[in-house]
Amino acid sequence: MAGRLSEMTLEQLWQLFPIILTPYNPDWKNWYREQQDILSDALPAEQVIRISYVGSTAIGTIWAKPTVDILVEVRKESNLTDLAKLLDGCGYTLMSRQDNRMSFNLGYTENGFAEKVFHLHLRLEGDHDELYFRDFLIEYPQVAKEYEQLKLSLWKQFEHDRDGYTEAKTAFVRSVTEKARQLYNGRYETDLEKGIE
């Protein structure tokens, strides 16, 4: 099925890049740190609010797609199109743009996944629900296990339907995120992190 990714249909892309879940891999944290260093060097420091390790691989205990998710929050006056050009220079490919959000990938090739795969979420400051979700699952391992079981139950049904897989998890993610927002009460509005240990 090899060919230019930009010329493939969504169905062809989903066949080439199926949902894969694997047990936690401690190397994922190192992959994140490598990219964090690259991004810190490439993006204007005066525009970057925070670079964060998010997504299931950041939980540290559960099965996950072997894709490291990175959240880059930038100041509200930042020009996302200009930042997208800098990310392109780091090898990231723009996947989608909605309002003030852009999503990129790295490690998607014409022959399938590379050894290291990343999703980067470029957002304006304050758009960081992923931080609440991540920290709640780290703090409450039993909820993380519920999320893991949900993902495992959906895996084969949606192996070649990424949108369906994401949609089937949405109610759970929203519910947990809302609980986390109430519990952490604006934690990320003042606590500027540069990644997690």
Side-chain angles (χ1 to χ4, degrees):
M1 186 185 291
R4 290 179 56 89
L5 297 180
S6 61
E7 297 171 355
M8 291 185 184
T9 66
L10 193 57
E11 289 72 24
Q12 289 173 320
L13 290 170
W14 284 345
Q15 288 296 317
L16 186 59
F17 303 111
I19 300 294
I20 298 169
L21 295 176
T22 65
Y24 174 71
N25 179 348
D27 290 338
W28 291 335
K29 187 183 291 186
N30 295 328
W31 296 3
Y32 164 72
R33 288 184 175 143
E34 290 169 3
Q35 287 301 306
Q36 181 189 34
D37 289 343
I38 290 168
L39 295 167
S40 294
D41 289 342
L43 299 174
E46 68 276 6
Q47 292 185 44
V48 176
I49 297 290
R50 163 173 47 210
I51 299 174
S52 305
Y53 183 18
V54 296
S56 293
T57 66
I59 306 305
T61 58
I62 63 174
W63 282 54
K65 295 194 305 289
T67 300
V68 170
D69 283 276
I70 301 169
L71 175 64
V72 178
E73 283 180 82
V74 297
R75 298 199 181 280
K76 289 185 177 172
E77 62 272 15
S78 298
N79 184 312
L80 296 186
T81 301
D82 290 345
L83 294 173
K85 292 174 186 173
L86 296 175
L87 291 170
D88 181 71
C90 296
Y92 283 88
T93 300
L94 179 64
M95 294 190 306
S96 66
R97 179 174 189 159
Q98 303 176 335
D99 299 324
N100 292 314
R101 293 176 156 203
M102 297 177 102
S103 296
F104 302 80
N105 67 42
L106 176 64
Y108 284 62
T109 79
E110 287 79 6
N111 297 310
F113 293 116
E115 178 187 355
K116 299 178 183 179
V117 181
F118 303 89
H119 284 172
L120 186 148
H121 312 276
L122 182 63
R123 308 274 181 75
L124 298 183
E125 60 186 298
D127 187 356
H128 48 233
D129 279 352
E130 291 86 350
L131 298 177
Y132 288 102
F133 186 74
R134 176 199 72 191
D135 284 1
F136 194 92
L137 265 57
I138 290 172
E139 187 169 347
Y140 295 93
Q142 72 278 13
V143 180
K145 283 297 176 187
E146 288 175 30
Y147 186 50
E148 176 185 66
Q149 288 306 309
L150 172 62
K151 294 197 305 175
L152 289 171
S153 73
L154 298 170
W155 177 9
K156 293 305 177 182
Q157 178 184 355
F158 294 104
E159 184 175 10
H160 299 288
D161 180 359
R162 285 177 170 264
D163 289 348
Y165 178 76
T166 299
E167 181 61 32
K169 298 184 302 173
T170 297
F172 182 94
V173 172
R174 284 185 180 157
S175 173
V176 169
T177 300
E178 184 54 36
K179 289 177 188 173
R181 278 191 161 281
Q182 293 173 15
L183 178 67
Y184 300 138
N185 193 23
R187 168 190 293 187
Y188 306 107
E189 313 318 315
T190 56
D191 176 26
L192 298 184
E193 66 174 11
K194 290 297 181 184
I196 64 170
E197 295 303 313

